[in-house]
């Protein structure tokens, strides 16, 4: 009989405030921040997590977030090159776009929220149509990772009649990359119209002034440059000057001085207030205030006055100074407009920052949210400018840092009833409720390396890098005792199964034994402490110590890659286990005390029999050092868990020497592992600062099926990768600076293509049957004809994956699909989908279709039916638009009448006011 196991599955990760792979956005109340593969929504004022956006089975890390101008729409880019559009109120995915082959690095919406541009590590920019749920074009030209994107809107009313650009101008796109270039793309032709060598080093950030007349760029050398946009040149489009040169649209102005010369990683203008924020240092953000025209004139007059006074003192002519001042022009104007205001100094390394887009009733000033690389958020208030000469200071108003560790989670331990989890890092010990995953205690500690609950589950012992053992009372959140246990790092702690003794192992080559005692306290009840009773001297640093569950043996692993086993009572030597090439980092003994498993930095696990010390099996288990190993705590079970620096958690059978399950989820090295005493779940802690719980499910797992599933997934991913590589090669031949079609094959699109092929084969077979033959059982059950069946199959394919799914079809199936398109057009079924499929197929297979004479019989009736259907649709849309415009005019007239009635004006005054208003509008547009 085939042996079955129980599958383990992931639950949500906790211990995360924000991860450092992506930027975060802030709307004044809620912060949308990355949390590895999820997006967390925090109410910053309350410090509460409002929502978690999680998509099942999607493990790629979040790398970019952008908020749409439309309400409740947020775009999130991932490390696998996909982009998901989330609905903020429901927390559900609206659309998924697949086009990039590497991580998405930046996202930007246009002003209408109808298009989104994405830049990636694959050096391409893709323009997406959100309404049509399709890629518009892929822009190639940069030679390194895209770092920033901004849409440059051109008002269609401003376009000159001679302009090449169409009257409904799609505008321009501004992009920067690590290749030092700043590029301007015309979105009507999808070509680059200007390339500027912006800096000598990588360009890391760009932003546009809200008026859209000035561009600021920041480089890796700490240089902040200002550029002027020539609006007239933009309106006219690409033109040649009298000398035969192409008219430039972006012109350099000057550089702005910064307080530090580090990498300018982010530049951001406040959408409504006169502030510019620049991050040019790891831990600080510099805020510039934008002066008004009046203030600039006053400053320039004062400067001229001082210059004249100086020149009089020297006896020079004052006129020369004026001429020189006028010649400097725009450069001095920019420096005068942007004045350093204050510097915000954060509590850690800053990953990104964002202005509050909506100020929530604070009279004090503008709010800035900082997303820190150490798993915390901070919100600072920038005070409004005042006349006094006091230097303004930013005040920290809110911070979210309690629900997570600042540094790597180094050790985990569970209470005996599995209700409480303790996690410790360099600096903090946190206690978690396992049922709610809420952090219930946060206590300061040293650099924690190992930990264990003491008998009674009211106290916890922490072993530190400095050699101390810290004992904490959980209920009181207080440090009860600090024991100077060792002179080197305390690498391991273990409580004897009878709960009467504690053993510690250290880098000072000592194994020490401690008895528990009650310590008298002044404040309240007696506290548990430890007293040293015995020492076992070893020949090398001790890395791990372990009692056997029957309490008879003690195992000690040393830096010399061996494991020594002693009798617990007499400490007499029993066994020496050698075979690992590098030190044994962790070990565990099965509940029946018959097997021991050791894991090492040499990436191997070894299973030993404790009767004679024989090695049952050596297994190459992970791609990196194996950090911890632990047996399941079920009676008679020889299943065990391993965690490694390769970010994997693995489940093993020590009797059959088989890998039962691989569990992926962490995005950094896994340092810590804790197995529940009831055997229901396992907990892991990682370098990515997250803690994850993996629960045992009721679903059975068969090893053969698991291997087949792994091979299938590997094969499918390889097919998609090879198809994408061939697409990249063909697209790369078109030359630099060109636009190409957007497409990316994934396992989902391949499966969708297979479903279409299968549906076409079934429908063709059904249509070829004689009239009296029995119907296909599938179609009969759905009560559908062959034409309707194929249409329903295609309608179920997501709009974003449709084009890639159609590319999978062989040409014979394309011809077959054309017949069904004709039938659908004839019946006027889903005309928009029919048109989209038809135009895509004609564009893709144009040469074959033109060369194939047999297609005439299908294409001519298809043209006739589709034209009739489209004309009918056009009439309906035209009628509806006219009706909507009429309703709009009627509503505007009603509101205008109500407004002027409230003002108490008569008809003549109303007409005069409307005429005056219309004149003003015209003057503004001119």
């Amino acid at each position: 009989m085939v042996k079955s196991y129980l599958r383990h599955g992931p639950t949500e990760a906790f211990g995360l405030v924000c991860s450092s792979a992506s930027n975060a956005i802030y709307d004044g109340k809620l912060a949308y921040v990355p949390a590895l593969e999820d997006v967390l929504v925090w109410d910053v004022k309350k410090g509460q997590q409002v929502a978690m956006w999680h998509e099942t089975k999607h493990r790629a890390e979040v790398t970019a977030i952008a908020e749409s101008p439309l309400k409740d729409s947020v775009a999130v880019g991932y490390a696998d090159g996909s982009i998901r559009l989330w609905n903020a109120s429901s927390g559900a995915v609206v659309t998924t776009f697949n086009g990039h082959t590497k991580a998405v690095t930046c996202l930007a919406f246009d002003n209408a929220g109808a298009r989104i541009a994405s830049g990636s590590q694959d050096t391409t920019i893709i323009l997406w149509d959100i309404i049509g749920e399709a890629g518009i074009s892929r822009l190639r030209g940069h030679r390194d990772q895209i770092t920033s994107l901004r849409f440059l809107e051109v008002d269609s009313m401003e376009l000159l009649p001679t302009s090449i650009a169409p009257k409904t101008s799609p505008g321009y796109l501004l992009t920067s990359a690590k290749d030092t270039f700043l590029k301007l793309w015309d979105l009507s032709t999808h070509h680059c119209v200007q390339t500027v060598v912006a800096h000598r080093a990588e360009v890391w950030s760009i932003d546009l002034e809200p008026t859209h007349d000035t561009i600021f760029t920041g480089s890796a050398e700490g240089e902040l440059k200002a550029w002027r946009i020539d609006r007239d040149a933009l309106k006219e489009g690409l033109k040649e000057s009298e000398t035969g040169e192409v008219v430039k649209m972006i012109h350099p102005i000057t550089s702005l001085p910064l307080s530090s010369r580090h990498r300018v990683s982010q530049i951001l203008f406040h959408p409504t207030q006169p502030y510019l924020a620049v991050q040019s240092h790891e831990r600080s953000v510099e805020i510039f205030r934008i002066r008004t025209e009046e203030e600039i004139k006053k400053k320039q007059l004062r400067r001229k006055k001082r210059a004249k006074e100086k020149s009089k003192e020297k006896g020079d002519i004052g006129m020369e100074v004026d001429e020189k001042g006028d010649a400097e022009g725009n450069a001095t104007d920019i420096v005068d407009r942007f004045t350093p205001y204050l510097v915000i100094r954060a509590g850690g390394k800053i990953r990104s920052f964002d202005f509050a887009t909506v100020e929530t009733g604070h009279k004090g000033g503008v709010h800035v949210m900082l997303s820190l690389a150490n798993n915390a958020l901070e919100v600072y208030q920038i005070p409004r400018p005042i006349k006094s000469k006091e230097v303004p200071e930013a005040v920290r108003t809110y911070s979210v840092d309690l629900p997570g560790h600042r540094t790597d989670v180094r050790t985990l331990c569970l209470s005996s009833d599995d209700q409480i989890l303790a996690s410790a890092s360099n600096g903090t010990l946190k206690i978690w409720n396992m049922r709610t995953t809420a952090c219930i205690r946060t206590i300061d500690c040293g650099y924690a390396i190992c930990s264990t609950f003491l008998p009674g589950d009211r106290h916890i012992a922490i072993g530190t890098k400095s050699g101390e053992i810290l004992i904490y009372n959980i209920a009181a959140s207080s440090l009860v005792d600090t024991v100077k246990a060792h002179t080197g790092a305390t690498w391991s702690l273990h409580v004897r199964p009878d709960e009467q003794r504690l053993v510690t192992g250290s880098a000072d080559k000592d194994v020490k034994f401690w008895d528990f005692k009650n310590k008298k306290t002044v404040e309240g009840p007696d506290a548990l402490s430890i007293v040293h009773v015995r020492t076992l001297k070893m020949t090398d640093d001790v890395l791990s110590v372990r009692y056997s569950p029957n309490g008879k043996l003690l195992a000690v692993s040393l830096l010399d890659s061996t494991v020594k086993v002693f009798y617990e009572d007499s400490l007499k030597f029993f066994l020496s286990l050698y075979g690992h090439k590098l030190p044994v980092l962790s070990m565990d003994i099965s509940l029946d005390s018959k097997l021991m498993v050791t894991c090492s930095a040499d990436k191997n696990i070894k299973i030993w029999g404790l009767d004679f010390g024989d090695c049952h099996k050596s297994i190459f288990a992970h791609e990196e050092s194996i950090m911890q190993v632990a047996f399941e705590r079920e009676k008679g079970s020889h299943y065990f868990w391993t965690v490694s620096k390769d970010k994997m958690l693995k489940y093993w059978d020590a009797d059959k020497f088989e890998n039962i399950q691989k569990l992926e989820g962490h995005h950094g090295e896994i340092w810590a592992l804790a197995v529940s005493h009831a055997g229901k779940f396992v907990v892991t802690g990682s370098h990515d600062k997250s803690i994850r719980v993996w629960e045992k499910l009721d679903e059975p797992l068969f090893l053969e099926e698991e291997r087949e599933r792994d091979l299938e997934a590997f094969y499918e991913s390889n097919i998609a990768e090879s198809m994408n590589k061939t697409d990249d090669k063909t697209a790369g031949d078109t030359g630099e600076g060109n636009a190409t079609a957007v497409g990316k094959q994934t396992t989902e699109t391949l499966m969708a293509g297979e479903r279409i092929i299968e549906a076409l084969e079934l429908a063709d077979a059904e249509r070829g049957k004689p009239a009296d033959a029995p119907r296909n059982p599938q179609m009969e059950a759905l009560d559908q004809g062959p034409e309707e069946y194929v249409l329903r199959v295609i309608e179920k394919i997501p709009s974003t994956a449709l084009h890639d799914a159609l590319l999978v079809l062989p040409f014979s199936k394309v011809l077959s699909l054309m017949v069904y398109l004709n039938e659908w057009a004839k019946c006027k079924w889903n005309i928009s989908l029919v048109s989209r499929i038809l135009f895509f197929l004609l564009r893709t297979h144009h040469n074959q279709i033109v060369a194939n004479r047999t297609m005439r019989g299908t294409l001519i009736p298809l043209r006739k039916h589709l034209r009739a259907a489209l004309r009918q649709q056009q009439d309906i849309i035209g009628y509806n638009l006219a009706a909507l415009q009429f309703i709009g005019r009627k509503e505007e007239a009603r509101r205008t009448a109500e407004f002027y009635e409230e003002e108490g004006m008569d008809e003549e005054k109303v007409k005069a006011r409307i005429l005056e208003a219309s004149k003003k509008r015209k003057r503004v547009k001119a």
Side-chain angles (χ1 to χ4, degrees), residues 32 41 51-54 70-76 84-95:
Y32 301 90
V41 184
M52 173 191 265
W53 299 349
H54 174 79
L70 303 175
K71 196 187 172 197
D72 279 352
S73 185
V74 177
V76 181
R84 280 166 177 72
L85 220 59
W86 292 83
N87 183 304
S89 54
S90 66
V93 177
V94 180
T95 315

PDB file of all heavy atoms in Angstrom, residues 32 41 51-54 70-76 84-95:
ATOM      1  N   TYR A  32      -0.401  52.620   2.378  1.00  0.00           N
ATOM      2  CA  TYR A  32      -0.380  51.376   1.600  1.00  0.00           C
ATOM      3  C   TYR A  32       1.082  50.971   1.454  1.00  0.00           C
ATOM      4  O   TYR A  32       1.839  51.637   0.741  1.00  0.00           O
ATOM      5  CB  TYR A  32      -1.028  51.583   0.228  1.00  0.00           C
ATOM      6  CG  TYR A  32      -2.468  52.057   0.314  1.00  0.00           C
ATOM      7  CD1 TYR A  32      -2.770  53.420   0.349  1.00  0.00           C
ATOM      8  CD2 TYR A  32      -3.516  51.153   0.381  1.00  0.00           C
ATOM      9  CE1 TYR A  32      -4.081  53.854   0.449  1.00  0.00           C
ATOM     10  CE2 TYR A  32      -4.834  51.584   0.478  1.00  0.00           C
ATOM     11  CZ  TYR A  32      -5.109  52.935   0.513  1.00  0.00           C
ATOM     12  OH  TYR A  32      -6.408  53.363   0.612  1.00  0.00           O
ATOM     13  N   VAL A  41      -2.434  47.623   4.568  1.00  0.00           N
ATOM     14  CA  VAL A  41      -3.035  48.950   4.687  1.00  0.00           C
ATOM     15  C   VAL A  41      -3.086  49.285   6.172  1.00  0.00           C
ATOM     16  O   VAL A  41      -3.743  48.582   6.953  1.00  0.00           O
ATOM     17  CB  VAL A  41      -4.459  48.983   4.075  1.00  0.00           C
ATOM     18  CG1 VAL A  41      -5.026  50.387   4.128  1.00  0.00           C
ATOM     19  CG2 VAL A  41      -4.437  48.473   2.637  1.00  0.00           C
ATOM     20  N   ALA A  51      -6.219  46.387   6.523  1.00  0.00           N
ATOM     21  CA  ALA A  51      -6.447  45.325   5.531  1.00  0.00           C
ATOM     22  C   ALA A  51      -5.131  44.721   5.073  1.00  0.00           C
ATOM     23  O   ALA A  51      -4.063  45.333   5.221  1.00  0.00           O
ATOM     24  CB  ALA A  51      -7.196  45.891   4.322  1.00  0.00           C
ATOM     25  N   MET A  52      -5.227  43.503   4.538  1.00  0.00           N
ATOM     26  CA  MET A  52      -4.076  42.856   3.899  1.00  0.00           C
ATOM     27  C   MET A  52      -4.520  42.382   2.519  1.00  0.00           C
ATOM     28  O   MET A  52      -5.499  41.661   2.393  1.00  0.00           O
ATOM     29  CB  MET A  52      -3.602  41.667   4.728  1.00  0.00           C
ATOM     30  CG  MET A  52      -2.515  40.865   4.026  1.00  0.00           C
ATOM     31  SD  MET A  52      -2.186  39.299   4.832  1.00  0.00           S
ATOM     32  CE  MET A  52      -0.818  39.730   5.865  1.00  0.00           C
ATOM     33  N   TRP A  53      -3.800  42.841   1.488  1.00  0.00           N
ATOM     34  CA  TRP A  53      -4.115  42.433   0.110  1.00  0.00           C
ATOM     35  C   TRP A  53      -3.234  41.246  -0.233  1.00  0.00           C
ATOM     36  O   TRP A  53      -2.028  41.389  -0.411  1.00  0.00           O
ATOM     37  CB  TRP A  53      -3.870  43.569  -0.867  1.00  0.00           C
ATOM     38  CG  TRP A  53      -4.710  44.789  -0.594  1.00  0.00           C
ATOM     39  CD1 TRP A  53      -5.757  44.896   0.260  1.00  0.00           C
ATOM     40  CD2 TRP A  53      -4.558  46.082  -1.189  1.00  0.00           C
ATOM     41  NE1 TRP A  53      -6.270  46.175   0.243  1.00  0.00           N
ATOM     42  CE2 TRP A  53      -5.542  46.920  -0.647  1.00  0.00           C
ATOM     43  CE3 TRP A  53      -3.686  46.610  -2.131  1.00  0.00           C
ATOM     44  CZ2 TRP A  53      -5.683  48.257  -1.003  1.00  0.00           C
ATOM     45  CZ3 TRP A  53      -3.809  47.941  -2.493  1.00  0.00           C
ATOM     46  CH2 TRP A  53      -4.813  48.752  -1.935  1.00  0.00           C
ATOM     47  N   HIS A  54      -3.868  40.090  -0.310  1.00  0.00           N
ATOM     48  CA  HIS A  54      -3.113  38.859  -0.545  1.00  0.00           C
ATOM     49  C   HIS A  54      -3.774  38.072  -1.668  1.00  0.00           C
ATOM     50  O   HIS A  54      -4.995  37.912  -1.672  1.00  0.00           O
ATOM     51  CB  HIS A  54      -3.088  38.022   0.735  1.00  0.00           C
ATOM     52  CG  HIS A  54      -2.458  36.676   0.558  1.00  0.00           C
ATOM     53  ND1 HIS A  54      -1.090  36.500   0.528  1.00  0.00           N
ATOM     54  CD2 HIS A  54      -2.999  35.438   0.387  1.00  0.00           C
ATOM     55  CE1 HIS A  54      -0.829  35.214   0.345  1.00  0.00           C
ATOM     56  NE2 HIS A  54      -1.965  34.554   0.256  1.00  0.00           N
ATOM     57  N   LEU A  70      -8.012  58.002  -9.870  1.00  0.00           N
ATOM     58  CA  LEU A  70      -9.386  57.548  -9.625  1.00  0.00           C
ATOM     59  C   LEU A  70      -9.465  56.939  -8.227  1.00  0.00           C
ATOM     60  O   LEU A  70      -8.514  56.312  -7.753  1.00  0.00           O
ATOM     61  CB  LEU A  70      -9.801  56.509 -10.661  1.00  0.00           C
ATOM     62  CG  LEU A  70      -9.716  56.945 -12.129  1.00  0.00           C
ATOM     63  CD1 LEU A  70     -10.039  55.777 -13.038  1.00  0.00           C
ATOM     64  CD2 LEU A  70     -10.652  58.112 -12.410  1.00  0.00           C
ATOM     65  N   LYS A  71     -10.614  57.090  -7.583  1.00  0.00           N
ATOM     66  CA  LYS A  71     -10.775  56.613  -6.208  1.00  0.00           C
ATOM     67  C   LYS A  71     -10.683  55.089  -6.143  1.00  0.00           C
ATOM     68  O   LYS A  71     -11.126  54.390  -7.042  1.00  0.00           O
ATOM     69  CB  LYS A  71     -12.135  57.086  -5.679  1.00  0.00           C
ATOM     70  CG  LYS A  71     -12.254  57.000  -4.178  1.00  0.00           C
ATOM     71  CD  LYS A  71     -13.658  57.311  -3.722  1.00  0.00           C
ATOM     72  CE  LYS A  71     -13.794  57.030  -2.236  1.00  0.00           C
ATOM     73  NZ  LYS A  71     -15.170  56.921  -1.823  1.00  0.00           N
ATOM     74  N   ASP A  72     -10.070  54.597  -5.059  1.00  0.00           N
ATOM     75  CA  ASP A  72     -10.052  53.161  -4.729  1.00  0.00           C
ATOM     76  C   ASP A  72      -9.284  52.294  -5.717  1.00  0.00           C
ATOM     77  O   ASP A  72      -9.552  51.098  -5.818  1.00  0.00           O
ATOM     78  CB  ASP A  72     -11.485  52.611  -4.609  1.00  0.00           C
ATOM     79  CG  ASP A  72     -12.093  52.917  -3.260  1.00  0.00           C
ATOM     80  OD1 ASP A  72     -11.356  53.413  -2.402  1.00  0.00           O
ATOM     81  OD2 ASP A  72     -13.298  52.696  -3.074  1.00  0.00           O
ATOM     82  N   SER A  73      -8.348  52.850  -6.441  1.00  0.00           N
ATOM     83  CA  SER A  73      -7.577  52.037  -7.393  1.00  0.00           C
ATOM     84  C   SER A  73      -6.084  52.202  -7.113  1.00  0.00           C
ATOM     85  O   SER A  73      -5.573  53.328  -7.105  1.00  0.00           O
ATOM     86  CB  SER A  73      -7.903  52.472  -8.824  1.00  0.00           C
ATOM     87  OG  SER A  73      -7.255  51.628  -9.734  1.00  0.00           O
ATOM     88  N   VAL A  74      -5.413  51.082  -6.874  1.00  0.00           N
ATOM     89  CA  VAL A  74      -3.976  51.090  -6.579  1.00  0.00           C
ATOM     90  C   VAL A  74      -3.299  50.046  -7.450  1.00  0.00           C
ATOM     91  O   VAL A  74      -3.761  48.894  -7.530  1.00  0.00           O
ATOM     92  CB  VAL A  74      -3.706  50.799  -5.077  1.00  0.00           C
ATOM     93  CG1 VAL A  74      -2.211  50.740  -4.800  1.00  0.00           C
ATOM     94  CG2 VAL A  74      -4.356  51.845  -4.189  1.00  0.00           C
ATOM     95  N   ALA A  75      -2.207  50.441  -8.116  1.00  0.00           N
ATOM     96  CA  ALA A  75      -1.438  49.503  -8.950  1.00  0.00           C
ATOM     97  C   ALA A  75      -0.238  49.007  -8.161  1.00  0.00           C
ATOM     98  O   ALA A  75       0.437  49.795  -7.491  1.00  0.00           O
ATOM     99  CB  ALA A  75      -0.973  50.187 -10.229  1.00  0.00           C
ATOM    100  N   VAL A  76       0.004  47.702  -8.234  1.00  0.00           N
ATOM    101  CA  VAL A  76       1.124  47.096  -7.507  1.00  0.00           C
ATOM    102  C   VAL A  76       1.961  46.276  -8.482  1.00  0.00           C
ATOM    103  O   VAL A  76       1.428  45.419  -9.195  1.00  0.00           O
ATOM    104  CB  VAL A  76       0.608  46.192  -6.350  1.00  0.00           C
ATOM    105  CG1 VAL A  76       1.772  45.580  -5.593  1.00  0.00           C
ATOM    106  CG2 VAL A  76      -0.289  46.975  -5.405  1.00  0.00           C
ATOM    107  N   ARG A  84      -0.603  44.149 -10.768  1.00  0.00           N
ATOM    108  CA  ARG A  84      -1.995  43.899 -10.380  1.00  0.00           C
ATOM    109  C   ARG A  84      -2.644  45.207  -9.989  1.00  0.00           C
ATOM    110  O   ARG A  84      -2.047  45.999  -9.260  1.00  0.00           O
ATOM    111  CB  ARG A  84      -2.061  42.902  -9.225  1.00  0.00           C
ATOM    112  CG  ARG A  84      -1.903  41.479  -9.679  1.00  0.00           C
ATOM    113  CD  ARG A  84      -1.620  40.517  -8.538  1.00  0.00           C
ATOM    114  NE  ARG A  84      -1.544  39.141  -9.017  1.00  0.00           N
ATOM    115  CZ  ARG A  84      -0.549  38.649  -9.736  1.00  0.00           C
ATOM    116  NH1 ARG A  84       0.479  39.419 -10.071  1.00  0.00           N
ATOM    117  NH2 ARG A  84      -0.560  37.384 -10.145  1.00  0.00           N
ATOM    118  N   LEU A  85      -3.863  45.380 -10.479  1.00  0.00           N
ATOM    119  CA  LEU A  85      -4.656  46.557 -10.132  1.00  0.00           C
ATOM    120  C   LEU A  85      -5.627  46.141  -9.039  1.00  0.00           C
ATOM    121  O   LEU A  85      -6.464  45.259  -9.258  1.00  0.00           O
ATOM    122  CB  LEU A  85      -5.423  47.031 -11.376  1.00  0.00           C
ATOM    123  CG  LEU A  85      -5.513  48.537 -11.586  1.00  0.00           C
ATOM    124  CD1 LEU A  85      -4.135  49.137 -11.705  1.00  0.00           C
ATOM    125  CD2 LEU A  85      -6.320  48.849 -12.823  1.00  0.00           C
ATOM    126  N   TRP A  86      -5.476  46.732  -7.841  1.00  0.00           N
ATOM    127  CA  TRP A  86      -6.304  46.346  -6.691  1.00  0.00           C
ATOM    128  C   TRP A  86      -7.398  47.378  -6.447  1.00  0.00           C
ATOM    129  O   TRP A  86      -7.178  48.575  -6.626  1.00  0.00           O
ATOM    130  CB  TRP A  86      -5.446  46.252  -5.429  1.00  0.00           C
ATOM    131  CG  TRP A  86      -4.465  45.135  -5.423  1.00  0.00           C
ATOM    132  CD1 TRP A  86      -3.225  45.138  -6.007  1.00  0.00           C
ATOM    133  CD2 TRP A  86      -4.607  43.844  -4.828  1.00  0.00           C
ATOM    134  NE1 TRP A  86      -2.596  43.935  -5.812  1.00  0.00           N
ATOM    135  CE2 TRP A  86      -3.418  43.115  -5.074  1.00  0.00           C
ATOM    136  CE3 TRP A  86      -5.627  43.231  -4.102  1.00  0.00           C
ATOM    137  CZ2 TRP A  86      -3.231  41.818  -4.619  1.00  0.00           C
ATOM    138  CZ3 TRP A  86      -5.429  41.939  -3.640  1.00  0.00           C
ATOM    139  CH2 TRP A  86      -4.249  41.241  -3.898  1.00  0.00           C
ATOM    140  N   ASN A  87      -8.559  46.893  -6.018  1.00  0.00           N
ATOM    141  CA  ASN A  87      -9.616  47.773  -5.544  1.00  0.00           C
ATOM    142  C   ASN A  87      -9.388  47.980  -4.050  1.00  0.00           C
ATOM    143  O   ASN A  87      -9.432  47.028  -3.268  1.00  0.00           O
ATOM    144  CB  ASN A  87     -10.991  47.131  -5.794  1.00  0.00           C
ATOM    145  CG  ASN A  87     -12.118  48.048  -5.387  1.00  0.00           C
ATOM    146  OD1 ASN A  87     -12.197  48.512  -4.251  1.00  0.00           O
ATOM    147  ND2 ASN A  87     -13.011  48.318  -6.314  1.00  0.00           N
ATOM    148  N   ALA A  88      -9.120  49.233  -3.643  1.00  0.00           N
ATOM    149  CA  ALA A  88      -8.706  49.518  -2.264  1.00  0.00           C
ATOM    150  C   ALA A  88      -9.813  49.237  -1.252  1.00  0.00           C
ATOM    151  O   ALA A  88      -9.526  48.845  -0.120  1.00  0.00           O
ATOM    152  CB  ALA A  88      -8.240  50.965  -2.149  1.00  0.00           C
ATOM    153  N   SER A  89     -11.070  49.437  -1.616  1.00  0.00           N
ATOM    154  CA  SER A  89     -12.149  49.243  -0.645  1.00  0.00           C
ATOM    155  C   SER A  89     -12.488  47.767  -0.446  1.00  0.00           C
ATOM    156  O   SER A  89     -12.753  47.335   0.663  1.00  0.00           O
ATOM    157  CB  SER A  89     -13.398  50.020  -1.056  1.00  0.00           C
ATOM    158  OG  SER A  89     -13.761  49.688  -2.371  1.00  0.00           O
ATOM    159  N   SER A  90     -12.430  46.974  -1.530  1.00  0.00           N
ATOM    160  CA  SER A  90     -12.769  45.550  -1.393  1.00  0.00           C
ATOM    161  C   SER A  90     -11.539  44.676  -1.170  1.00  0.00           C
ATOM    162  O   SER A  90     -11.661  43.533  -0.719  1.00  0.00           O
ATOM    163  CB  SER A  90     -13.503  45.073  -2.646  1.00  0.00           C
ATOM    164  OG  SER A  90     -12.649  45.113  -3.768  1.00  0.00           O
ATOM    165  N   GLY A  91     -10.328  45.194  -1.488  1.00  0.00           N
ATOM    166  CA  GLY A  91      -9.097  44.409  -1.337  1.00  0.00           C
ATOM    167  C   GLY A  91      -9.020  43.247  -2.311  1.00  0.00           C
ATOM    168  O   GLY A  91      -8.427  42.211  -2.022  1.00  0.00           O
ATOM    169  N   ALA A  92      -9.623  43.419  -3.505  1.00  0.00           N
ATOM    170  CA  ALA A  92      -9.632  42.355  -4.522  1.00  0.00           C
ATOM    171  C   ALA A  92      -8.886  42.813  -5.770  1.00  0.00           C
ATOM    172  O   ALA A  92      -8.828  44.006  -6.064  1.00  0.00           O
ATOM    173  CB  ALA A  92     -11.069  42.005  -4.886  1.00  0.00           C
ATOM    174  N   VAL A  93      -8.325  41.848  -6.494  1.00  0.00           N
ATOM    175  CA  VAL A  93      -7.607  42.157  -7.744  1.00  0.00           C
ATOM    176  C   VAL A  93      -8.637  42.427  -8.841  1.00  0.00           C
ATOM    177  O   VAL A  93      -9.532  41.622  -9.080  1.00  0.00           O
ATOM    178  CB  VAL A  93      -6.688  40.999  -8.167  1.00  0.00           C
ATOM    179  CG1 VAL A  93      -6.014  41.297  -9.493  1.00  0.00           C
ATOM    180  CG2 VAL A  93      -5.638  40.742  -7.109  1.00  0.00           C
ATOM    181  N   VAL A  94      -8.492  43.576  -9.507  1.00  0.00           N
ATOM    182  CA  VAL A  94      -9.394  43.937 -10.606  1.00  0.00           C
ATOM    183  C   VAL A  94      -8.842  43.387 -11.917  1.00  0.00           C
ATOM    184  O   VAL A  94      -9.554  42.756 -12.691  1.00  0.00           O
ATOM    185  CB  VAL A  94      -9.558  45.480 -10.689  1.00  0.00           C
ATOM    186  CG1 VAL A  94     -10.485  45.868 -11.823  1.00  0.00           C
ATOM    187  CG2 VAL A  94     -10.056  46.043  -9.375  1.00  0.00           C
ATOM    188  N   THR A  95      -7.552  43.637 -12.158  1.00  0.00           N
ATOM    189  CA  THR A  95      -6.906  43.217 -13.409  1.00  0.00           C
ATOM    190  C   THR A  95      -5.475  42.798 -13.134  1.00  0.00           C
ATOM    191  O   THR A  95      -4.825  43.357 -12.243  1.00  0.00           O
ATOM    192  CB  THR A  95      -6.861  44.395 -14.412  1.00  0.00           C
ATOM    193  OG1 THR A  95      -8.113  45.039 -14.436  1.00  0.00           O
ATOM    194  CG2 THR A  95      -6.524  43.941 -15.816  1.00  0.00           C
TER     195      THR A  95
END
